[in-house]
Amino acid sequence: MQIITDPLHMQAIAEKLRLNRQLIGVVMTMGALHEGHLSLINEARKIAGTIILTIFVNPKQFAPHEDFHRYPRPFEQDAAHAKAAGVDYVFAPPVEAVYSENFQTTVHPGPLGEQFEGKQRPGHFSGVATIVTKLLQITRPHIAVFGEKDAQQLAVIKRLVKDLNIDVQIIEAPIIRDENGLAISSRNIYLSAKERDAATVLYKGLCHAERRIAEPCLDLDTIVPEVETIIKSSLSCRPEYICFVDDETFQPASKAEKGKTYRLLLAVQTGTVRLIDNRKFMV
Ligand code: PAF
């Protein structure tokens, strides 16, 4: 496994791999790798012959109140995990190699990036869209794997690739959960044992929605308050949003139509930690 820090060097390697007809898969991360990231690498390995893992804590996707400087950066450990997972190249550039002094061009995702997480974290999706576009240009992959855990990010990236005619196939990888149903996330390390226990109400809420839709209850507006009651049954959990969206457009949906796919989005404050989760439903 090679570690590359220079964008031009990475681009030259990717170009050569393409000339040699290698199928390139990329997994983009901000490091502090966990089981969820490793599952993305495994998904990529099912399809691609050469795997590039990017590790870059992107300052442009942190809102002013979020602490970019305190984000964990256990690079040695990440490199060891990447090697064990079969990664061929780790691309880990320094910030100044990605954003030069004169950097001024950004990618704005439009309305899709302004609701839900975008409302809570102003500028976040513009930062994500900009870095993802840059990393796609640098690593030149045939496929790029992103997790369904960050469903809105996935929707923004799928839209961006379509809108900007970027020649890459976006692969969606399923959410990885612990034995209690809690979705694996970098933020889980901030949960106390009590908060971790309380956070199981998110999964319970998603499972309830699944049962109701299977009945079938197509009136999504009646399911939302039921999920809210489940989440509020834990005193330390405060729902921020609970919303069904059309999985294609990410527009809020009140009634489900047969043949379409919807997603229930949850954002919940659990003690001091804000958690997001979601589930996709084919009706
Ligand atoms: O999901 C993440 O870790 C980041 O948002 C990404 C896609 C690597 C962009 O910085």
Side-chain angles (χ1 to χ4, degrees):
M1 184 182 86
Q2 283 188 50
I3 295 172
I4 313 293
T5 55
D6 175 20
L8 286 177
H9 186 196
M10 186 72 253
Q11 221 163 19
I13 290 172
E15 210 49 63
K16 206 164 167 191
L17 288 167
R18 279 187 162 250
L19 282 174
N20 289 335
R21 301 199 166 277
Q22 278 292 314
L23 202 84
I24 306 174
V26 72
V27 173
M28 299 182 189
T29 76
M30 298 208 297
L33 300 185
H34 52 61
E35 247 183 283
H37 296 118
L38 299 179
S39 77
L40 303 183
I41 296 171
N42 281 338
E43 289 295 324
R45 283 181 54 207
K46 286 183 196 162
I47 306 170
T50 300
I51 306 300
I52 303 176
L53 177 80
T54 73
I55 298 181
F56 180 65
V57 185
N58 174 32
K60 296 216 180 289
Q61 70 187 74
F62 285 75
H65 65 277
E66 295 171 332
D67 201 349
F68 161 71
H69 295 286
R70 272 185 43 205
Y71 198 86
R73 292 163 170 85
F75 186 74
E76 301 300 319
Q77 196 182 304
D78 285 347
H81 282 315
K83 192 170 178 191
V87 166
D88 298 286
Y89 297 91
V90 169
F91 176 56
V95 173
E96 54 287 2
V98 175
Y99 299 116
S100 67
E101 225 177 283
N102 291 326
F103 182 86
Q104 47 190 288
T105 308
T106 53
V107 181
H108 289 283
L112 189 51
E114 282 156 21
Q115 47 191 347
F116 308 114
E117 290 307 288
K119 213 180 229 173
Q120 167 73 19
R121 310 173 70 186
H124 172 70
F125 285 118
S126 169
V128 169
T130 303
I131 193 63
V132 167
T133 306
K134 281 172 74 73
L135 291 173
L136 289 174
Q137 299 290 10
I138 294 167
T139 59
R140 309 270 344 268
H142 297 89
I143 64 148
V145 183
F146 292 92
E148 276 189 274
K149 164 75 173 50
D150 294 307
Q152 191 177 1
Q153 168 170 286
L154 181 62
V156 163
I157 293 168
K158 287 197 312 197
R159 188 73 258 157
L160 145 82
V161 161
K162 257 191 202 148
D163 288 350
L164 301 184
N165 303 90
I166 301 178
D167 184 17
V168 64
Q169 190 188 347
I170 302 298
I171 308 286
E172 305 183 16
I175 298 176
I176 303 295
R177 299 182 180 278
D178 73 8
E179 64 283 3
N180 295 321
L182 180 66
I184 303 288
S185 155
S186 315
R187 289 178 192 167
N188 294 358
I189 53 165
Y190 302 118
L191 292 168
S192 66
K194 221 167 140 197
E195 286 168 342
R196 222 186 154 92
D197 209 35
T200 54
V201 289
L202 278 86
Y203 185 60
K204 287 181 185 149
L206 295 173
C207 292
H208 174 79
E210 181 160 272
R211 278 192 300 273
R212 293 284 278 126
I213 288 175
E215 278 174 8
C217 167
L218 301 183
D219 184 3
L220 303 177
D221 276 350
T222 65
I223 302 176
V224 169
E226 296 167 5
V227 173
E228 186 175 0
T229 304
I230 292 171
I231 290 173
K232 284 183 170 166
S233 70
S234 161
L235 292 179
S236 56
C237 289
R238 271 183 297 114
E240 193 184 287
Y241 59 76
I242 301 172
C243 190
F244 280 96
V245 291
D246 178 314
D247 194 42
E248 184 66 29
T249 61
F250 241 68
Q251 284 306 305
S254 304
K255 306 268 178 282
E257 279 172 46
K258 284 225 179 295
K260 288 186 75 170
T261 303
Y262 298 88
R263 209 178 268 276
L264 176 58
L265 306 177
L266 305 180
V268 174
Q269 190 72 38
T270 308
T272 52
V273 187
R274 189 172 171 278
L275 297 174
I276 58 169
D277 204 342
N278 70 85
R279 181 164 273 194
K280 188 158 77 172
F281 305 99
M282 285 161 207
V283 178

